[in-house]
Amino acid sequence: VVELPQKQAMAKLAADLLHADMTVYLDAGTSTLEIVPYIKALSGMTVITNDFGVVQALLDAPQVTVRHTGGQLDHSNHSCVGGLAVATLRQVVTDVAFISTSSWDLRRGLTTPSALKVEVKQVAMQSATQ
């Protein structure tokens, strides 16, 4: 994993936003995967994700309710994108969404080379309280 210490430091800061009984969206990516141990330590957590790595990391955590968005498989980052993932996210409300993206633009917001990924990220942010 590239820049692992930095990703772990970001996850530790992100964990400050977590408390028991939350519904959390974890976007696809190795940065958001680092948040999983903090979620496992809390009770009553629900995780919604499009990332198969997150699902795999939570297989040994029966105390966490896990919902995968489904959708079109993006082979390159082991996640789902596209209309079905977007439709799933439009049906849920999360307390917090942790979004992983290629870059942020102050004027346009998040950017990524894939249009299928952008819509998933945008809807995940719209569905979240923070």
Side-chain angles (χ1 to χ4, degrees):
V1 176
V2 177
E3 308 286 352
L4 183 59
Q6 289 85 348
K7 291 177 183 191
Q8 290 171 331
M10 286 190 299
K12 187 174 182 181
L13 290 172
D16 290 341
L17 298 173
L18 300 175
H19 56 79
D21 303 314
M22 290 184 89
T23 299
V24 176
Y25 176 75
L26 292 181
D27 197 25
T30 55
S31 296
T32 55
L33 185 61
E34 294 301 318
I35 301 169
V36 169
Y38 298 99
I39 290 171
K40 285 181 172 183
L42 297 168
S43 64
M45 299 299 283
T46 298
V47 172
I48 300 169
T49 187
N50 65 333
D51 187 86
F52 289 106
V54 168
V55 171
Q56 185 173 5
L58 290 166
L59 286 175
D60 67 346
Q63 74 278 14
V64 179
T65 300
V66 180
R67 295 191 178 113
H68 193 275
T69 63
Q72 179 181 321
L73 177 61
D74 182 327
H75 293 271
S76 65
N77 74 346
H78 305 185
S79 68
C80 284
V81 295
L84 184 58
V86 168
T88 299
L89 290 171
R90 284 197 173 119
Q91 295 178 35
V92 299
V93 175
T94 57
D95 296 300
V96 62
F98 295 103
I99 307 295
S100 176
T101 190
S102 301
S103 59
W104 289 91
D105 180 87
L106 290 175
R107 205 179 63 231
R108 292 183 290 166
L110 69 93
T111 61
T112 188
S114 167
L116 293 174
K117 290 180 186 179
V118 167
E119 190 175 11
V120 170
K121 294 171 189 301
Q122 289 172 337
V123 172
M125 290 188 310
Q126 293 165 1
S127 299
T129 302
Q130 59 180 352

